[in-house]
Amino acid sequence: MNACARAVVRAALAAGHQVIGIRRGYQGLLEQDLFVDRERQPLMTLRSVSDWGRHGGTFLRSSRSEEFRTEAGQQRAVQNLAHHGIDALIPIGGDGTFHGAVALARHWDGQIVGCPGTIDNDLVGTDFTIGFSTAVQTAVEAVDKIRDTAESHQRMFLVEVMGRHNGHIALYTAIAAGAETVCIPETTTDIGAIIADLQALRERGKTSVMMLVAEGDEGGGAEVLQQRLQAAGCPFSMRVVVLGHLQRGGSPTPEDRLLASQLGTWAVEAVLAGETGVMVGRVGQRQVLTPFEETYRAHRPIPAELLALVASLAH
Ligand code: F6P
């Protein structure tokens, strides 16, 4: 997100515009919590964002705002936007952020162009969201390390990753880390079939197993799954690791920095071209604009060929 904010600031300043950084998202807008630099200036400068690209988290901070969900909150946000002479907004976030953008647009006639920033990769209209690559990188590193114990102790590990209602992080991590199996919300978790697969792996001489579990899997998280597998006669000794918020931090991958830099710049270009009510995404190498409602209306499907890859490589 920092790399994206840096790109927005620099592209907008280069085009002759002024930039105000709103801290803590919509809640910060309600509280007029504006970014100020070392000189306590509320306008962002080229130097405000120096060196931002390589840092995880977000210097602008983030929050989940209950107040902004209300009509009164949205009206107050509009008043604050007018008070600061803001005529265009570039929110960076996921579906919650874009639901908020749609609500704001009902009361405000300024332009809103969003950038997809979420580790979940669950938005329609972009191949990847900002943060996904870094989350997968972190998860893969963790699974690689856990595999050492799995191998030496001849165990099976159920590693739970984030992703909310979506299995992208689990699936990409499973393939990259060579996991034997993956449980995601997009597929039915069939305990009997999993046990049969595990028995087949055992018979083929497999001594360790890594199972990636998406937190949103309909069979429950990794803890619940472990209990169900235990009760069904799992042939391996099991342990559970929940990676949790570890996946949301750390220095972003070059891939994420590049994507964020492109999307931030494209968002400014879209504003300058008069666009509003859209998210800017990258599909292939092309810039694509998608109305906010379409980015979250349908569940983003899992690439079927990647799912098949987990099964075909698990031997
Ligand atoms: O949407 C991003 C995400 O990290 C999800 O993967 C996860 O379910 C959720 O946010 C965690 O939210 P919180 O930090 O509010 O617990």
Side-chain angles (χ1 to χ4, degrees), residues 61-74:
R61 307 275 173 89
S62 185
S63 66
R64 304 207 190 279
S65 175
E66 284 307 317
E67 191 184 349
F68 186 75
R69 290 176 195 269
T70 65
E71 284 283 317
Q74 291 152 20

Side-chain angles (χ1 to χ4, degrees), residues 119 159 179 250-251:
I119 61 168
V159 182
S251 186

